Amino acid sequence: MRIKSLLQAYKEGRTTPREVMREVRERIRAHEENPLFIHLLSEAELEPYLSALERSEAKNLPLFGIPFAIKDNIDLAGIPTTAACPKYAYVPERSAFVVQRLIEAGAIPVGKSNLDQFATGLVGTRSPYGACRNSIDPEYISGGSSSGSAVSVALEMVSFSLGTDTAGSGRVPAALNAILGLKPTKGWLSTLGVVPACRSLDCVSIFAKEGEEVRMILEVAGVYDESDPYAREERSVAPLALNPKIAVPLKAQREFLGDSEYERLFEEAIERFRALGARVEEVDISPLILAAKLLYEGPWVSERYVAIQEFLENQPEALLEVTRGIIQGGASKSAADYFKAEYRLMECKREAQKRLQGFDFSLLPTIPRPYTIKEVEADPVRLNSHLGHYTNFMNLLDLAAYAIPAGFRQDGIPFGITLFSEPFSESRLIEAGEYFLKGVR
């Protein structure tokens, strides 16, 4: 399912998009007990895409015949968007801007993937369609909210997938399934056609298995959308230095909640960067952690309430209890609450910029520790909050972030790290990821 291999196979006539889609469906059926898709496109729904590719002589399309999954809070024309809430479902006439860009480049939508309801969660268990199970150990959570998107890539059902990321949903599932997860700069990928969570913070995210695939998808989808009021035009930033300078948290600030193996794996990741020639320095990350707390403890949860206010007020019973409780909490926040939090956030942002200035990128664990599905079901809010410890601040502070695999515990559960830096530093982060994973530049 790797993009480069598929494109080469098409070019040499060894397979066709139609044959690949038959293989995709077989792979999905082999895991049908894992509720990864809310809507899998039928043969009739796939036919227009396959026919268009067969009519086209343009096999040089950058994503010709490449299968991908779409998180079900992102629109695909003619297919229901549910946001994992059946009573909320609607059928869009047009695809989301990024989806349309990918289809025009030759990619084939496979289906709408499962998620934490209304993209509210980092666990992958908050869906009436069922909890998505980890691709490595089904007793463990898959991570959310982009759970189905991540696991479908991890299990080689698709070549790549789209998720969204407001608090960490494009990175936590990547860490828990040993794949790559890019949370781009806010506004680089259009969010038109995406059900809002926190509209001012939302990003469309990318899951894949190879850095070059992430780069290719970002290039195709990352076109300025003048219709999106939050869109921003890409700007250039300095490339990765030959011996990059990396910021890591002070040892006293490295939180693993008792998971000694994750602690060891993070130390090994730091040492691997050092062995590759990187200059590593410890930095006080307290401004980042303070900013992270503002996302749910502050007024930004009100954006989740505003996004579905009418639906929530008219049909509160349609939401899962945990989802409803979180979103309804946003109804009581005031304008005064917002401005107080905004002032605090700007203080955190300025202090963070000072402490991280001069570094090529910063390095953190993606999550402090993994949890089983049973653990999360027994304590859904507190453990979900733990998963966002290292992720919740990224969009508030306007940073680009890239989650990559960094080893496994002895029981096989993966560990991941996140590289992050200034807006529009994605190319630098992807290169640094390859530097770490392959030891080459």
Side-chain angles (χ1 to χ4, degrees):
M1 284 297 157
R2 304 284 46 84
I3 293 177
K4 185 177 180 180
S5 299
L6 278 176
L7 291 176
Q8 188 65 27
Y10 290 144
K11 184 177 180 180
E12 295 173 0
R14 291 185 282 113
T15 192
T16 66
R18 197 174 291 275
E19 290 170 349
V20 167
M21 286 309 303
R22 280 197 288 268
E23 173 68 18
V24 165
R25 294 181 74 84
E26 287 177 11
R27 293 184 184 199
I28 292 171
R29 278 195 292 268
H31 295 275
E32 60 186 1
E33 78 288 347
N34 197 349
L36 303 180
F37 288 93
I38 290 175
H39 184 105
L40 191 63
L41 267 66
S42 66
E43 290 187 13
E45 289 166 338
L46 280 171
E47 186 57 35
Y49 301 105
L50 296 174
S51 297
L53 290 175
E54 288 170 346
R55 290 194 304 270
S56 172
E57 296 298 323
K59 287 194 176 180
N60 60 343
L61 287 171
L63 297 175
F64 180 91
I66 304 300
F68 74 109
I70 305 167
K71 184 176 179 178
D72 196 22
N73 62 341
I74 304 174
D75 289 345
L76 175 62
I79 303 298
T81 298
T82 72
C85 182
K87 290 185 177 180
Y88 180 80
Y90 63 91
V91 179
E93 295 182 1
R94 301 172 59 185
S95 294
F97 182 89
V98 291
V99 171
Q100 188 59 35
R101 286 284 307 167
L102 295 166
I103 291 171
E104 289 171 357
I108 305 172
V110 169
K112 305 298 292 296
S113 54
N114 202 355
L115 66 150
D116 282 329
Q117 191 174 68
F118 288 111
T120 302
L122 292 172
V123 288
T125 63
R126 297 174 176 176
S127 171
Y129 298 95
C132 291
R133 298 185 174 273
N134 188 282
S135 61
I136 294 164
D137 186 335
E139 298 300 313
Y140 276 80
I141 61 170
S142 57
S145 60
S146 308
S147 49
S149 291
V151 179
S152 64
V153 170
L155 293 177
E156 296 276 345
M157 296 172 176
V158 292
S159 299
F160 73 93
S161 65
L162 296 181
T164 59
D165 188 309
T166 302
S169 299
R171 292 159 282 151
V172 172
L176 285 163
N177 292 280
I179 61 172
L180 305 173
L182 178 71
K183 184 214 76 65
T185 302
K186 285 189 301 179
W188 191 352
L189 297 188
S190 171
T191 54
L192 281 191
V194 177
V195 178
C198 296
R199 191 179 177 194
S200 68
L201 301 177
D202 294 340
C203 297
V204 173
S205 61
I206 297 168
F207 296 106
K209 283 198 166 182
E210 295 182 1
E212 191 52 41
E213 294 176 333
V214 176
R215 192 188 302 275
M216 183 183 302
I217 297 154
L218 182 63
E219 183 177 333
V220 170
V223 173
Y224 178 71
D225 178 9
E226 63 180 13
S227 300
D228 180 358
Y230 284 94
R232 297 157 74 184
E233 294 193 72
E234 180 187 359
R235 62 173 173 79
S236 61
V237 300
L240 187 67
L242 184 61
N243 298 109
K245 187 178 178 183
I246 304 173
V248 299
L250 300 172
K251 285 193 177 181
Q253 295 175 327
R254 299 175 194 176
E255 180 61 76
F256 297 97
L257 302 170
D259 194 314
S260 59
E261 288 195 74
Y262 262 34
E263 184 174 9
R264 171 182 58 81
L265 288 165
F266 185 60
E267 292 294 334
E268 290 178 1
I270 293 172
E271 290 308 312
R272 175 164 174 75
F273 270 116
R274 279 201 178 102
L276 290 167
R279 298 163 291 155
V280 179
E281 292 185 17
E282 293 188 3
V283 171
D284 179 2
I285 63 165
S286 55
L288 309 183
I289 303 305
L290 286 172
K293 294 180 182 298
L294 291 172
L295 186 61
Y296 282 102
E297 295 178 11
W300 279 273
V301 70
S302 295
E303 279 202 275
R304 294 185 182 271
Y305 177 74
V306 169
I308 59 166
Q309 180 177 356
E310 183 177 351
F311 177 77
L312 177 59
E313 291 174 350
N314 291 333
Q315 300 187 65
E317 76 289 346
L319 277 70
L320 298 176
E321 182 179 356
V322 63
T323 311
R324 184 173 63 247
I326 292 167
I327 296 176
Q328 281 182 331
S332 60
K333 303 295 183 181
S334 69
D337 294 329
Y338 172 77
F339 283 110
K340 289 176 184 177
E342 174 74 7
Y343 302 152
R344 187 73 181 110
L345 176 61
M346 289 301 101
E347 292 171 0
C348 291
K349 186 173 183 179
R350 178 57 58 87
E351 192 58 38
Q353 288 171 337
K354 280 195 248 180
R355 297 184 189 192
L356 300 178
Q357 188 174 9
F359 289 96
D360 286 84
F361 60 90
S362 301
L363 174 65
L364 286 173
T366 301
I367 60 173
R369 58 155 296 177
Y371 294 108
T372 64
I373 291 176
K374 285 185 178 180
E375 286 175 316
V376 167
E377 288 176 342
D379 194 358
V381 176
R382 187 174 67 92
L383 299 193
N384 184 91
S385 178
H386 288 172
L387 292 168
H389 180 76
Y390 293 117
T391 64
N392 284 352
F393 64 85
M394 295 286 186
N395 283 337
L396 283 169
L397 297 181
D398 195 17
L399 299 165
Y402 187 43
I404 65 174
F408 296 84
R409 297 196 316 189
Q410 290 183 359
D411 61 2
I413 297 301
F415 168 73
I417 56 176
T418 294
L419 321 179
F420 65 95
S421 190
E422 63 188 292
F424 301 104
S425 61
E426 284 81 353
S427 180
R428 182 198 303 165
L429 297 178
I430 293 169
E431 184 179 359
E434 296 304 284
Y435 180 52
F436 177 84
L437 294 169
K438 300 178 181 179
V440 295
R441 295 288 301 278

